[in-house]
Amino acid sequence: MDHKMKFGRSKVCVFDHQNEISDFVIRTWDRISRRAIGRKGLFFVGLSGGKTPVDLYLRLSNTKETLLWEKTHVFLVDERFVPFEHPDSNYRMLKETLLDHVPIPRENIHPIPTGRSTPQASATAYEEDLEKSFGLSENQFPEFDLLILGIGEDGHTASLFPGSPVLNDRMSLVASIPLNEAKHSRITLTLPVINHARHIFFLLTGKDKAPVLRKIMDERDGSLPASMVHCKKGSLIFALDREASILLSGS
Ligand code: 6PG
């Protein structure tokens, strides 16, 4: 690791190379999952799409760490409303880079069911999956052990875009995002679900992410969805490469 900084209650870890970010996340994943499994017998992780985590998924599928896949449940943080075979499907990407290559039981994999008639119907079906898998009672939120998130250049995270009315939704677990906010309609975990997670990683690489990071950290722009993410119980870690960190005052 190149260096570490504090940002409020979050930690910022800057690395020289993307593979170091992935190795760091894998070591942390291993530790968090063992703790979760020791506590409740299962480990719940939510994974994002996008380009940044692909290196992590490829390394996870190849890692020498003996990750406890039998006890791991994988959910998606968000999805495009497209069939699973579509080039833009997050589930397709995750399957090809990770899930097809690790000994995870099929029933532990929770894709967002995009085969429903509308994005809202898919969101409702995914809420039911969350309620059942986490054994939730009414008005309870699931507590993910770990979420892997990215941040877009406009400050979006998951499929929560700046100015979206979904950012004010305090009740739903999953929401649908209409076409005018993105290229495809999308389905996403909501902010309260994200903020109930025990541990969160934001992964950012490349110089294109430097301005948005500066807005989040130095300018404290609270209007950006990524700035609304907080971890009440565990850790919120920004894992960056040097290029993404270049505009930060502490870098
Ligand atoms: C997705 C996301 C999204 C992503 C950011 C960053 O499915 O696209 O979950 O929030 O994490 O857009 O994307 P990159 O990693 O491609 O920069």
Side-chain angles (χ1 to χ4, degrees), residues 165-221:
V166 171
L167 292 167
N168 301 319
D169 186 340
R170 298 280 172 270
M171 302 297 288
S172 314
L173 308 185
V174 185
S176 60
I177 304 293
L179 256 181
N180 57 354
E181 290 183 33
K183 176 176 154 202
H184 299 290
S185 297
R186 297 197 189 192
I187 298 108
T188 185
L189 298 184
T190 57
L191 199 53
V193 171
I194 291 175
N195 285 345
H196 268 78
R198 276 188 170 249
H199 302 279
I200 297 178
F201 267 110
F202 275 128
L203 307 186
L204 292 101
T205 58
K207 62 176 182 349
D208 292 348
K209 297 292 169 74
V212 74
L213 261 174
R214 186 194 169 97
K215 278 192 197 145
I216 295 168
M217 294 192 184
D218 287 347
E219 297 167 19
R220 311 255 166 169
D221 182 344

Side-chain angles (χ1 to χ4, degrees), residues 2-3 9 16-17 30 32 40 44 54 64 71-72 74 106 126 142 155-156 160 166 185 188 204 210-211 226 234 246:
D2 183 19
H3 61 276
R9 296 191 55 214
D16 286 329
H17 301 290
D30 187 36
I32 292 171
K40 60 185 179 204
F44 292 99
V54 169
K64 291 189 187 62
K71 308 278 184 200
T72 298
V74 172
R106 174 63 195 87
Y126 209 46
H156 79 261
L160 299 168
V166 171
S185 297
T188 185
L204 292 101
I246 208 79

Side-chain angles (χ1 to χ4, degrees), residues 48-53 78 80 90 150-152 156-159 186 209:
S48 288
K51 294 191 193 72
T52 318
D78 66 335
R80 278 96 179 144
N90 283 348
I151 300 181
H156 79 261
T157 189
S159 288
R186 297 197 189 192
K209 297 292 169 74

Side-chain angles (χ1 to χ4, degrees), residues 56-127:
L56 168 66
Y57 301 154
L58 290 170
R59 276 169 199 276
L60 268 170
S61 69
N62 245 318
T63 181
K64 291 189 187 62
E65 313 266 356
T66 45
L67 297 173
L68 304 173
W69 290 109
E70 291 272 314
K71 308 278 184 200
T72 298
H73 280 255
V74 172
F75 290 80
L76 276 90
V77 165
D78 66 335
E79 183 60 283
R80 278 96 179 144
F81 188 62
V82 295
F84 288 156
E85 318 73 54
H86 193 282
D88 294 339
S89 161
N90 283 348
Y91 178 60
R92 183 197 55 76
M93 181 276 275
L94 255 178
K95 228 170 104 45
E96 289 176 0
T97 55
L98 175 63
L99 300 172
D100 280 351
H101 312 287
V102 293
I104 183 167
R106 174 63 195 87
E107 60 277 17
N108 292 12
I109 302 175
H110 303 261
I112 296 178
T114 53
R116 305 297 158 112
S117 53
T118 62
Q120 187 48 49
S122 293
T124 305
Y126 209 46
E127 280 205 336

